[in-house]
Structures are given as structure tokens and as C-alpha cells.
Amino acid sequence: MSAGEKYVAAAYLVVFVAVLAWVAIIASKMARLSRDVDELTELARRRLEHEAEPEQGRVEVG
Amino acid sequence: MNENPLAALAALSGVLIAASIALIFFYVPTDADQGFSQRIFYIHVPVALTAYACFGWGAWKALRHLWKREPGADLESYVAIHQGVIFGVLTLATGSLWAKISWGHWWLWSESQLVLFLVLFLFYGAYFMLRYSVEPGPARANMCAVYALFGVVLIPVSWLSIRLANDFIHPTVFTTDGPQMSGSMFLAFCVSWLALLTLAGTMYRVELAGKRLDERMRELRELLTA
């Protein structure tokens, strides 16, 4: 491999690695967003259960 | 395709990248003067032009924010500048590699084109320092928009510097007489630039979608914990 070929390979590799790194960063962000969605879903479910509790315990009189 | 324009854009970007690589390594003739290393031109120049396009788009969105108060324009401007900085890093890296093989130096401070691009890059790098040193809100959005607009002035200066300087060794390919290269080289260059523009467009749309999702999640969290 000549010196010119090595430098050309390095230039194209730099761009490829940068795009790959960007994809990895976005993938980690997606994973974090997915965890956040799970957490918020759990929060919403607990809130709904909490709101439903007094209605279950209520007894009609008369 | 109509239902998911982002997927279509990503697919187009992939096809164009594959086509540009095929053209660069199997179609264009080897340059008589620089030899095989001239092939760095097909990545270095399109990457630099894409960085300019991203900074320009960021400035346009900043103008829309200040002028029309367009909702979301501040975020769009920020994401475009972020993409510009990524492509700016790649311009400096590929340029240094090309300079080393062609001129024997990684960097030449005497070259106004190189120094002005570095100034432009550092200017937009400082944009993030400004953005993250101010509390989120309308004041931050206005400040960042004004800053992004100031930066765009450096783009034509950087572009024209090579033509204004007399003692340059940085090659001038695009002159008033048109591109100084053969038809096949120009075709490879155009396809490569289009590929990088669609790649930048895809990255911009993905990052923007992620940021918008982040904002909605924050709002949802506030509503649920209130």
C-alpha cells in the first residue's frame, strides 16, 4: 500500500468512524428515552391506581 | 415512503454514499499531478461545503426565530449548527490528512483558507458555550439566534479568502471559468456532495426528532409529578 493510498484510506475512515460514533450516541440516547418512557408509564399507572383507590373503598348509604 | 420521509431520506443517503464510493474508487481517473491522494478531494470538499450548508441553515432558522418568531426555529438552528460543527471537525481532519500527503505539513498557519475555516469552526464551537451558560428561555433563544447570524458572515469570507489571497498553495478548483476538472471528476464530486448533504439532512432530522421527544418527555414528567 502506497503512502497516498494510506492517507486516502485514513480520510475516508475518519468520516466513517465519525458517522459510526454519531450513530452510537443516538442509540444510547434512544435507550435513555426508552427507559424514560418506561418510568413515566409506571408513574402514570401508579397515579391511576391511586386515583381509583378512594372510589373502591366508598360505601353508598341510604 | 410518503409515510416515513426520514426512512426514505436515510435510504437515499445510503444509496448515494454507495454510488459516490463506487464512482470515486472505480470510475474517476487518477489525477496526473497528485496521484491517488487526490481522491481525498471527493470527501474533503463536499464535507466542507456541507458544513457551510449546515451553518447557513442554522443561520436561516435563527433569522426565522428573530423575524417571524417561528415556533421551534431556535431548536432547529441549534441542531443545524451542531451538525455543522460535526462536519467542521471532519473538514479539518480530512484537510490535514490531504495537506500532509500533498504539502508535507499537517497544518499551515500561513494559509488564510485554513485559518479562516478554523476561525469559523471555533466561532460556532463557542456557540455551545454561550447556549449552555444561559438559562433556557426566550432570552437564550434570542442571544443564540443573534450569535448564529453573526457567524454566517464568516462563511463567504472563508469561501472567498482563497481567491483574495495571493500567496496560497491551497488549490482553487472552482473558478469563474467553471470547475477545473474533467467531467467524470465533476460527476463524482457532485454525487459525493449530494450524498453528504442527504446524510447531513438525515442526521439533522434524527437529532431534531430526538430533541423534540426529549422536550415532550420533560413536559409529561412535569405533568405527572405535579
Side-chain angles (χ1 to χ4, degrees):
Chain A
M1 201 182 212
S2 70
E5 286 169 346
K6 280 179 189 166
Y7 278 91
V8 171
Y12 284 82
L13 208 64
V14 159
V15 177
F16 177 71
V17 167
V19 174
L20 209 64
W22 181 85
V23 170
I25 291 166
I26 290 295
S28 76
K29 275 186 182 173
M30 287 296 160
R32 183 178 53 79
L33 278 171
S34 176
R35 281 197 301 273
D36 283 356
V37 168
D38 289 346
E39 192 188 323
L40 289 176
T41 309
E42 185 58 34
L43 207 66
R45 189 180 292 127
R46 259 188 261 151
R47 199 170 164 153
L48 275 172
E49 282 170 5
H50 181 74
E51 280 171 8
E53 267 173 17
E55 283 175 19
Q56 283 172 356
R58 199 180 295 155
V59 179
E60 284 188 25
V61 180
Chain B
M1 286 281 191
N2 287 337
E3 286 172 12
N4 197 346
L6 182 59
L9 192 65
L12 179 68
S13 161
V15 168
L16 284 170
I17 287 169
S20 67
I21 287 171
L23 284 172
I24 293 162
F25 292 103
F26 301 108
Y27 178 65
V28 289
T30 301
D31 186 67
D33 181 34
Q34 291 190 47
F36 194 79
S37 64
Q38 185 268 345
R39 281 176 165 79
I40 297 178
F41 163 82
Y42 303 106
I43 190 88
H44 171 66
V45 180
V47 160
L49 293 178
T50 306
Y52 287 144
C54 290
F55 291 139
W57 185 250
W60 168 247
K61 285 293 172 183
L63 183 68
R64 297 285 298 178
H65 168 77
L66 291 173
W67 184 22
K68 301 272 183 186
R69 293 285 157 200
E70 197 177 277
D74 170 56
L75 186 67
E76 287 169 346
S77 172
Y78 160 74
V79 172
I81 290 168
H82 187 231
Q83 296 300 321
V85 168
I86 293 171
F87 281 90
V89 171
L90 293 175
T91 304
L92 293 169
T94 54
S96 283
L97 284 162
W98 198 11
K100 181 66 182 166
I101 190 71
S102 297
W103 310 333
H105 300 280
W106 292 105
W107 185 264
L108 283 174
W109 287 106
S110 56
E111 283 300 299
S112 53
Q113 169 84 354
L114 272 62
V115 175
L116 273 165
F117 190 85
L118 183 67
V119 169
L120 177 75
F121 171 75
L122 291 175
F123 184 90
Y124 277 110
Y127 170 91
F128 298 96
M129 282 190 256
L130 170 73
R131 193 169 181 92
Y132 291 108
S133 62
V134 182
E135 283 291 309
R140 182 176 84 166
N142 291 341
M143 265 191 262
C144 289
V146 171
Y147 193 91
L149 278 174
F150 271 121
V152 84
V153 178
L154 289 168
I155 295 173
V157 176
S158 173
W159 174 253
L160 290 170
S161 64
I162 190 168
R163 284 144 189 90
L164 300 174
N166 294 319
D167 55 340
F168 58 82
I169 57 171
H170 191 289
T172 310
V173 176
F174 298 98
T175 64
T176 47
D177 300 326
Q180 303 300 301
M181 61 180 114
S182 68
S184 59
M185 286 174 163
F186 188 59
L187 173 73
F189 165 77
C190 289
V191 173
S192 181
W193 188 21
L194 201 60
L196 285 167
L197 277 176
T198 51
L199 176 69
T202 308
M203 288 164 74
Y204 170 78
R205 294 286 295 267
V206 168
E207 199 172 322
L208 196 59
K211 296 273 179 208
R212 283 178 178 153
L213 204 58
D214 242 354
E215 271 186 5
R216 284 183 202 152
M217 294 285 278
R218 205 174 302 123
E219 280 173 29
L220 188 61
R221 188 183 294 275
E222 279 168 14
L223 284 170
L224 283 169
T225 52

